């Protein structure tokens, strides 16, 4: 990694205020089918988003500007240049950190969307748990019929990954060579909203959140209840019994830490919530919907242990 000089930071700062997208045009006008799909995916049944006077959920703001696989026109070179400058100095990794939106008017089916984006700020050099790098904030102004409808601020950290601590080799070997950081399973992103879940995993407990207001169980962990909005909660420990609600078999793309083909299951716990995990101990092509499975904790390397599911449990075992 090149040690950045003040001149380097000045080079980065010079991108502040430069356009990231100029005169972008939404690929589709605001439309009911996309609103319906979004609401179904989010489980949002708010009546404001359906019917003859429907408005789009405000949080769809960025959706109307997305270019899809083919990209969109109007992308300026400044953003790519800034990324190349960061890549060239060793800040090769990227993570989205946060997003802020402001809404000025509702969007309704038929609204034609245009947008502009600029690089609003490039931070000084920062060191985080992930590594050292620079926060880049982009601001997008979204217009409907030429009128400003909302603003979307999006922040990423472009960083050089922190070196892992030297490893002790006292634990059982993982299925993959754990001496190569690239072949290690990705680490969970632990934050204040989900820390309790991972503390449970460390004690070999699978903890489900229970709403303090309405008692609804929820998984994955969230700060509040999407049934009643209550922010109070406690936990219940899962019995560990479940069934495969659905599954996919991963063949491609292959990541160094994984050994395809392998089955990723959506497991419905006996408590009623569902979680994504691996189904282990069975050939990938023998996993079936409805297969009874039982929780266990699998160690992947000296610092990573994950809840996984193995056929068996309360049913006949082995499924079928
Ligand atoms: Zn609730």
């Amino acid at each position: 990694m090149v040690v950045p000089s003040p001149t380097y930071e000045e080079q980065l700062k010079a991108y502040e205020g430069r356009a990231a997208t100029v005169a972008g045009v939404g690929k589709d006008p605001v439309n009911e089918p996309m609103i319906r799909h979004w609401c179904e995916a989010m489980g949002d049944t708010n009546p404001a988003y359906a019917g003859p006077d429907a408005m789009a959920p405000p949080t769809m703001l960025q959706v109307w500007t997305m270019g899809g696989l083919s990209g969109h026109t109007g992308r300026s070179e400044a953003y790519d240049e800034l990324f190349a400058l960061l890549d060239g100095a060793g800040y090769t990794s990227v993570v989205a950190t946060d997003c802020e939106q402001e809404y000025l008017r509702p969007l309704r089916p038929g609204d034609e969307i245009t947008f502009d984006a600029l690089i609003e700020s490039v931070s000084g050099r920062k060191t985080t748990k992930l590594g050292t790098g620079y926060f880049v904030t982009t601001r997008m102004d979204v217009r409907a019929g030429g009128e400003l409808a909302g603003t979307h601020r999006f922040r990423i950290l472009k960083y050089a990954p922190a070196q892992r601590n030297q490893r002790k080799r006292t634990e059982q070997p993982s299925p993959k060579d754990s001496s190569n950081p690239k072949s290690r399973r990705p680490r969970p992103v632990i934050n204040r909203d989900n820390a309790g879940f991972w503390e449970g995993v460390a004690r070999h407990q699978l903890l489900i959140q229970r709403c303090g207001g309405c008692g609804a169980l929820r998984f994955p962990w969230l700060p509040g209840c999407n049934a009643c909005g209550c922010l109070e909660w406690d936990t219940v420990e899962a019995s560990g019994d479940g069934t495969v609600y659905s599954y996919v078999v991963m063949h491609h793309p292959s990541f160094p830490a994984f050994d395809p083909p392998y089955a990723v299951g959506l497991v419905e716990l006996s408590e009623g919530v569902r979680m994504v995990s691996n189904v282990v101990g069975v050939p990938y092509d023998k996993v079936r919907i409805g297969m009874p499975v039982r929780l266990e904790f699998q160690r992947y390397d000296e610092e990573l242990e994950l809840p996984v599911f193995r056929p068996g449990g309360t049913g006949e075992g082995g499924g079928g």
Side-chain angles (χ1 to χ4, degrees):
M1 195 183 99
V2 176
V3 176
S5 62
T7 330
Y8 178 73
E9 295 212 351
E10 282 164 17
Q11 277 181 279
L12 295 178
K13 282 277 180 193
Y15 283 89
E16 288 187 346
R18 290 189 61 185
T21 308
V22 179
V25 177
K27 288 209 159 170
D28 298 290
V30 175
N31 64 83
E32 287 173 67
M34 284 171 68
I35 294 172
R36 184 174 61 78
H37 283 284
W38 169 281
C39 289
E40 285 193 7
M42 296 292 168
D44 193 332
T45 55
N46 191 319
Y49 307 144
D53 297 322
M55 58 178 274
T59 48
M60 281 187 82
L61 185 66
Q62 191 203 8
V63 171
W64 310 112
T65 70
M66 286 181 152
L69 290 177
S70 55
H72 54 64
T73 56
R75 190 180 166 97
S76 91
E77 284 161 13
Y79 201 73
D80 293 338
E81 284 172 19
L82 175 59
F83 261 55
L85 191 59
L86 289 160
D87 284 333
Y91 304 105
T92 52
S93 295
V94 64
V95 62
T97 58
D98 60 294
C99 146
E100 294 165 34
Q101 296 185 330
E102 282 176 74
Y103 313 115
L104 286 95
R105 56 152 275 189
L107 294 175
R108 297 188 189 278
D111 279 335
E112 301 276 356
I113 300 298
T114 53
F115 56 97
D116 294 280
L118 59 80
I119 300 164
E120 191 172 63
S121 67
V122 183
S123 75
R125 193 160 172 262
K126 304 280 184 190
T127 296
T128 73
K129 269 188 177 174
L130 286 173
T132 296
Y134 295 86
F135 288 93
V136 178
T137 306
T138 309
R139 191 190 83 219
M140 182 186 279
D141 293 328
V142 181
R143 295 184 173 79
E147 183 189 351
L148 190 62
T151 298
H152 173 77
R153 268 193 188 76
F154 187 64
R155 191 168 297 117
I156 58 146
L157 173 64
K158 195 77 176 110
Y159 66 100
Q163 298 297 313
R164 293 264 168 217
N165 296 333
Q166 61 280 19
R167 286 168 214 110
K168 294 181 220 129
R169 294 306 209 77
T170 51
E171 303 287 348
Q172 59 177 309
S174 70
K176 285 284 197 168
D177 174 13
S178 67
S179 64
N180 178 358
K182 281 196 162 173
S183 72
R184 290 155 62 91
R185 300 263 299 207
R187 310 290 104 168
V189 176
I190 300 174
N191 56 42
R192 63 184 174 185
D193 294 329
N194 68 11
F197 171 76
W198 292 104
E199 286 160 14
V201 168
R203 298 190 302 268
H204 287 191
Q205 291 181 314
L206 185 66
L207 298 179
I208 303 167
Q209 276 180 309
R210 177 171 54 194
C211 175
C214 71
L217 299 180
R218 65 177 185 262
F219 193 92
W221 282 39
L222 291 168
C225 175
N226 76 359
C228 76
C230 178
L231 298 175
E232 302 297 319
W233 53 269
D234 64 359
T235 59
V236 293
E237 184 181 355
S239 70
D241 288 320
T243 53
V244 175
Y245 183 81
S246 187
Y247 67 96
V248 292
V249 175
M250 287 296 292
H251 295 269
H252 187 81
S254 58
F255 297 98
F258 297 84
D259 196 14
Y262 56 91
V264 179
L266 178 62
V267 172
E268 184 163 279
L269 301 178
S270 60
E271 290 78 10
V273 297
R274 295 175 194 150
M275 71 178 284
V276 174
S277 179
N278 286 124
V279 183
V280 303
V282 58
Y284 68 89
D285 57 353
K286 294 288 186 279
V287 175
R288 291 290 178 270
I289 288 171
M291 177 181 263
V293 288
R294 175 81 200 154
L295 171 72
E296 65 179 47
F297 291 87
Q298 184 159 317
R299 179 164 285 285
Y300 288 90
D301 56 52
E302 72 277 10
E303 64 184 28
L304 184 66
E305 206 168 10
L306 295 175
V308 298
F309 291 86
R310 184 180 291 273
T314 52
E316 294 297 303

